[in-house]
């Protein structure tokens, strides 16, 4: 299975363009300040990741206290771990609160020679959250969030018109989410518990 596009890039468009630009500028400034990454062992990274798995908003002050290191070094550890690619931070939201309460998986058959092209076009569709390339008759899986069930037909028409080489093999509505981004969920999709990072590494559940 190969991820063509992950849900980490999906946006609810709640921020103004200037707000998004301000956040990106602040991130670039922080990156420049931390150009020299801290020298960290694998166990150091794992310690930081363990803290972030339980609290994605953990500050360098908290990390320093948990690990027994100075705040400056904790800040370097945090930045180095985030820049390592071992973990991604993602702000998620309950579907019912997002304005996009309907979730569905689409199973597509795409010519192998056109996978990248189709993936790039699918990423431009506002409702598409995740695109996966897999082995099998339906070789592309697409997760979408929709404002209402009435939008399903319109989305399929858009796919067929913009991607004539693609065939929709099947589709499946998501009735409930039990696990996502290291969390288990209750019936109302409120988080219940954290999945330890070690278990998440071997868990093959597709993220939504």
């Amino acid at each position: 299975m190969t991820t063509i596009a992950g849900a980490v890039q999906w946006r609810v468009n709640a921020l103004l363009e200037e707000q998004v630009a301000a956040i990106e500028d602040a991130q670039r400034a922080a990156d420049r300040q931390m150009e020299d990454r801290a020298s960290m062992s694998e166990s150091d990274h794992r310690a930081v990741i363990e803290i972030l798995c339980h609290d994605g908003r953990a500050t360098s002050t908290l990390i320093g206290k948990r690990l027994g290191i100075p705040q400056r070094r904790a800040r370097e550890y945090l930045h180095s771990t985030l820049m390592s690619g071992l973990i991604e931070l993602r702000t998620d939201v309950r579907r019912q609160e997002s304005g996009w309460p309907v979730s569905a998986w689409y199973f597509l058959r795409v010519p192998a020679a056109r996978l990248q092209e189709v993936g790039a076009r699918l990423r431009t569709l506002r409702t598409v959250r995740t695109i996966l390339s897999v082995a099998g008759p339906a070789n592309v899986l697409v997760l979408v969030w929709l404002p209402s069930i009435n939008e399903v037909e319109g989305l399929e028409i858009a796919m067929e018109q913009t991607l004539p080489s693609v065939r929709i093999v099947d589709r499946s509505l998501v009735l409930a989410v039990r696990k996502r981004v290291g969390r288990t969920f209750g019936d109302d999709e409120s988080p219940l518990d954290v999945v330890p990072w070690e278990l998440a590494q071997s868990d093959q559940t597709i993220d939504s």
Side-chain angles (χ1 to χ4, degrees), residues 1-12 88-92 105 119-120 122-133 140-145 180-181 206-208:
M1 181 175 66
T2 302
T3 300
I4 298 175
V8 70
Q9 69 181 13
W10 192 78
R11 299 291 182 268
V12 294
E88 288 181 330
L89 293 185
R90 169 173 137 190
T91 301
D92 220 325
W105 281 98
L122 285 171
R123 290 177 65 170
T124 66
L125 297 179
R126 177 68 188 87
T127 56
V128 171
R129 275 175 61 91
T130 302
I131 309 169
L132 304 172
S133 172
V140 173
L141 308 183
V142 180
L143 176 70
V144 300
W145 277 17
R180 183 169 68 232
V181 288
I206 296 176
D207 190 17
S208 58

Side-chain angles (χ1 to χ4, degrees), residues 110-116 139:
V110 179
R114 304 196 64 181
L115 273 176
Q116 294 304 315
N139 58 338

